[in-house]
Every structure is written in C-alpha cells, then in structure tokens.
Amino acid sequence: MQTVIEKLLEGEETQNLHKIEVAANILKEGGLVAFPTETVYGLGADALNPAAADRIYRAKGRPSDNPLIVHIYCMDDLQKIAAYIPAKAKRLADHFWPGPLTMIFKKRDNVPAETTGGLDTVAVRMPNHPLALALIEAAGGFIAAPSANTSGKPSPTLAEHVKEDMDGRIPMILDGGAVGIGIESTIVDFSEETPMVLRPGYITPDMMKEVIGEIRIDPGLAGEDLSVRPKAPGMKYKHYAPKAELILVNGAQEKVQQTINNLTKEAVESGRTVGVIGTDESCGCYHYGIVKSIGTRSDEDTIARHLYGILREFDEQDVDIIYSESFSTPRIGQAIMNRLLKAAGHQVIEV
Ligand code: AMP
Ligand code: MG
C-alpha cells in the first residue's frame, strides 16, 4: 500500500478542505488516516465499524486488549456512545473540552467490542485542533484514534514520525506540522463512583479538583508495587521506549550533572555510543557523548513537547545508552515523569 502524505497549509483553506474530504471518505469506507491533534498524532478509524477498529490494531501491532479512545467533535454526540454521563463529567467537559482530557463512561451498544478492547466502557475525547475536529465531523462524528506509532515506540509529534512507523501500512497521513502539547491526554475514569485519574497528562488533578472537587489517582500508576495493576490496560505495557537503554538520574542539579559526566565518561571510554538528555540551562555542563536539550526548565511545556522527538532522534543515531535528567516540574511534571519512567523501564539512579 502506498502512503500519501497531504500537507495542510495555513491560508489554503479550499485545498485543505478538499484534502480533509478525501481523508474523511477513506475513514467512512473503513480505512485508516493519521492526523494531528493538540496532544500527539492519532491513527484514526471509524469507531463504530468493528472491521475498521480492527485495522488499527494490525497497523500498530497493538495488543487487542488495549482499548482505543473515541474522538468526537461536538458535545451532543457524547450521549450517543456513553450510556450515562455523571454531572461531574459534564462539568469537566464544559471546562476542558475541546482539550487534552479523555473521560471513560459505560458504553452504549453501538460501540463495538473491537473499539473498547472487549470492555463495557468507552473512552471519549474532543481534541482541541481545528483540523482534527473538521476531519471527525466530515467522517461521521466518531473516530477511534490511538497514537499513530508502532506499539511500544515513542508517540509521534510530527508527521515524519508517523511516516517512520506507518509508511506502507496506511493510505494517508494528514500533515499539520508539529503538535502543541507533545504528550497524550489525561485519562479520567467516570465509570465508577469516584472519578479516578488513569493516566496523567496536561490537565492535572489540581486543575480538575478546582472544577469537581475530590478526584482519586489510580494506585496502579505509581508502578512501584507490581501486584497493583493500572486500570487502563495500556498503562501496563512497557511503552514509549527508545531502542537504547535509558537511565534517569534524579537529585540535586549539581550532583546529577556530576554523576552523568562520570557515567558518560566511563561509557565513552568503553566504546559505547552514549546520549545525554539535559536542558537549555544544563547542556553546556556535559562533556561526553551526544548531548541534547529537551527544552527549558523555565517553561515546562517545552519539555513535554520535545520528549518523544528526542527519544526518536537518539534512535536514529543508534546510541547504546541514554542518561537523562529527571523533570518533576510543578505542573505537568507528573505526566512527563510518567512517560520517562516507562521509557526507562523504571531505571533511576538517585543521587
Ligand atoms: P492511546 O490512544 O495510544 O493514547 O492509548 C489509549 C489509552 O487509553 C490506553 O492506555 C488505554 O488502555 C486507555 N483506555 C482506552 N479506553 C479505556 C477504557 N474503556 N478503560 C480504561 N482504559 C482505557
Ligand atoms: Mg499510544
């Protein structure tokens, strides 16, 4: 299969509309289209068509028990797939949709088991991206879209990343340039009594608390006690991983830099290709290996935005081992560390 990449350009509305129309037709016929959202690139299929949803699993090599998020473009459509919408969920939707927040509800019968990984619940999100919203509307309103990467690889934040993973496997990629946020949506489960965060993201528990009061965090998320499984099936897989071994170094900044310099010196001397993930502030302090800045500590959004891209860059340079600073920044730090810890298989050196 040949993969067509359609670039959507600012100011060329007529051409863009035409390209979205072509993509929507592929989706309506049960095919797959990758498209940008504000979080990461998604791999879309008609969420109400079991055969189409099934194609997503095959293209990604995704385990069939790992459910998909259904993307909608208007509030009225939520009740068409969710059997019951608690008042607090409605309030979060009013506040944060369109935006990087996914909510889980008891599903209606029209949502096939293929989309929900066999669960009786459905995950729903309204993305904050004009192109994504236009595509969802033109394609009938319900688009299942996990991240458009091969299962286990870092999520794509550029159309080029999608091409690396999906070339020849899907008919079309809509290229809308770099995404804004760079990590996947926050997931909140509303299928039980108390709302519970199943995956941290750009929308933090504190932001949601201000709107709905108490909110729990899935105890399985910490990843320390392996007998406590995370509730979102996708969170149990080693995920987001680069090819190289990734090790995080955590502690006071000066100690971290010293440790990374010692470890990278050793690695280089033993003939290994080594990478370092630092920041705009710290990169000048590292003396060995390939040093990359992930962003600036004065704007944590830049760190989220470059996280997956930097892991892919190191893959391309075939490094054997990557040492990274850790980023428990105040707001989305939890989401950033959640992704980094998974990519590192929880290997952390405390200094
Ligand atoms: P992705 O679309 O690649 O960002 O992955 C979707 C994430 O949402 C995975 O971690 C899934 O396990 C999770 N998810 C989707 N639907 C449900 C659901 N009904 N219940 C719990 N987790 C879900
Ligand atoms: Mg994913």
Side-chain angles (χ1 to χ4, degrees):
M1 181 187 295
Q2 210 210 327
T3 303
V4 177
I5 302 176
E6 291 287 9
K7 229 185 170 93
L8 294 135
L9 300 166
E10 234 173 279
E12 300 198 350
E13 299 321 317
T14 318
Q15 282 105 311
N16 290 350
L17 271 181
H18 174 69
K19 288 170 185 172
I20 289 171
E21 208 55 50
V22 174
N25 284 332
I26 294 175
L27 291 168
K28 283 197 247 178
E29 284 164 15
L32 304 183
V33 174
F35 62 96
T37 76
E38 81 279 35
T39 57
V40 300
Y41 271 77
L43 181 58
D46 179 351
L48 305 185
N49 175 346
D54 209 45
R55 281 191 189 102
I56 288 183
Y57 291 90
R58 272 184 278 143
K60 281 179 62 82
R62 183 174 174 111
S64 61
D65 71 340
N66 189 4
L68 310 173
I69 294 171
V70 180
H71 291 64
I72 59 174
Y73 77 96
C74 69
M75 198 58 201
D76 280 351
D77 278 353
L78 177 58
Q79 46 158 346
K80 295 180 188 161
I81 52 174
Y84 171 66
I85 304 160
K88 285 183 178 176
K90 174 82 178 45
R91 290 225 296 277
L92 283 190
D94 287 343
H95 214 86
F96 295 112
W97 277 4
L101 176 69
T102 296
M103 290 188 272
I104 294 175
F105 305 97
K106 287 267 182 265
K107 79 173 190 72
R108 283 191 188 274
D109 291 342
N110 58 343
V111 186
E114 283 74 3
T115 296
T116 65
L119 299 175
D120 63 356
T121 51
V122 61
V124 190
R125 176 168 109 82
M126 191 192 293
N128 186 16
H129 194 293
L131 205 162
L133 292 170
L135 178 67
I136 297 163
E137 180 172 11
F142 303 97
I143 299 301
S147 48
N149 52 291
T150 302
S151 202
K153 293 244 300 184
S155 295
T157 52
L158 294 171
E160 286 76 11
H161 299 159
V162 181
K163 182 168 186 286
E164 280 167 24
D165 286 12
M166 292 296 150
D167 202 17
R169 295 173 160 260
I170 62 174
M172 184 175 284
I173 300 170
L174 290 178
D175 180 354
V179 301
I181 292 179
I183 53 175
E184 303 84 347
S185 58
T186 307
I187 301 181
V188 181
D189 185 8
F190 273 100
S191 68
E192 287 175 50
E193 277 286 301
T194 318
M196 186 162 78
V197 177
L198 304 190
R199 177 171 75 184
Y202 194 79
I203 309 286
T204 62
D206 283 344
M207 289 159 79
M208 291 185 282
K209 251 179 223 160
E210 275 186 28
V211 182
I212 59 165
E214 207 41 41
I215 186 162
R216 290 202 302 149
I217 296 179
D218 182 359
L221 270 188
E224 285 148 7
D225 181 352
L226 293 179
S227 66
V228 188
R229 284 254 155 153
K231 186 171 178 192
M235 297 301 279
K236 71 175 181 274
Y237 296 106
K238 183 176 174 189
H239 215 183
Y240 316 119
K243 283 186 271 186
E245 188 180 4
L246 172 66
I247 297 171
L248 309 187
V249 185
N250 188 44
Q253 198 52 31
E254 214 170 292
K255 280 240 171 101
V256 167
Q257 285 165 12
Q258 214 174 47
T259 307
I260 290 182
N261 272 328
N262 292 341
L263 290 166
T264 48
K265 181 168 188 277
E266 263 171 46
V268 167
E269 282 170 359
S270 68
R272 302 175 88 188
T273 311
V274 54
V276 175
I277 299 180
T279 62
D280 291 357
E281 291 79 17
S282 69
C283 271
C285 309
Y286 295 115
H287 310 306
Y288 306 93
I290 304 167
V291 180
K292 289 183 195 287
S293 170
I294 194 171
T296 167
R297 285 190 187 266
S298 64
D299 176 7
E300 56 184 357
D301 288 5
T302 60
I303 297 173
R305 203 176 297 140
H306 298 133
L307 173 64
Y308 289 133
I310 220 171
L311 296 179
R312 282 186 181 256
E313 281 177 31
F314 276 127
D315 271 353
E316 258 171 41
Q317 292 177 291
D318 273 329
V319 301
D320 303 309
I321 187 161
I322 305 165
Y323 292 101
S324 174
E325 294 180 13
S326 60
F327 303 95
S328 324
T329 54
R331 204 167 44 79
I332 48 170
Q334 203 198 355
I336 294 169
M337 278 311 278
N338 168 269
R339 297 340 185 245
L340 264 178
L341 280 165
K342 288 180 78 172
H346 288 266
Q347 291 194 80
V348 185
I349 300 174
E350 299 286 347
V351 294

